[in-house]
Amino acid sequence: MIISNIRDLEHLLQFRLKSSMMVPEMSAAQEPTPNGMQSLEARISAAHGDLSRKHKRLARFVLDNKYFMSFASASQAGEKTGTSAAT
């Protein structure tokens, strides 16, 4: 799967959350927002244990560099994290 932007990462995490057999309990930070969606941070945190090493590295970079990732290409994110654009 090619992750070309934050929306693709969100879809990947959403898929992993839905396919997980265990549904983690939500903390206050994970409560759905008024539009019914969880924050990106909450969704990444919930799926973190199921992610590969490279996906974890990329997820951490996304959380720590939200502004950069808002405008970065998959290639740029891969260069910054030492992963491929396909990750």
Side-chain angles (χ1 to χ4, degrees):
M1 170 182 278
I2 296 174
I3 297 176
S4 59
N5 58 40
I6 290 177
R7 184 149 321 268
D8 288 345
L9 179 60
E10 288 176 337
H11 283 98
L12 171 69
L13 295 173
Q14 186 176 31
F15 172 77
R16 290 191 182 243
L17 284 173
K18 286 181 179 179
S19 65
S20 173
M21 296 300 281
M22 296 180 60
V23 177
E25 291 185 27
M26 282 194 225
S27 67
Q30 294 174 317
E31 292 291 326
T33 60
N35 65 3
M37 297 293 292
Q38 289 181 339
S39 70
L40 178 61
E41 294 88 350
R43 293 166 62 195
I44 288 174
S45 294
H48 194 265
D50 295 331
L51 298 175
S52 69
R53 183 176 44 89
K54 288 186 179 184
H55 282 131
K56 285 178 183 177
R57 186 182 322 155
L58 182 59
R60 172 55 38 209
F61 184 80
V62 168
L63 292 177
D64 292 344
N65 300 279
K66 292 176 192 168
Y67 183 76
F68 173 81
M69 289 303 298
S70 297
F71 301 99
S73 67
S75 296
Q76 291 170 320
E79 286 176 20
K80 294 284 188 182
T81 59
T83 61
S84 70
T87 302

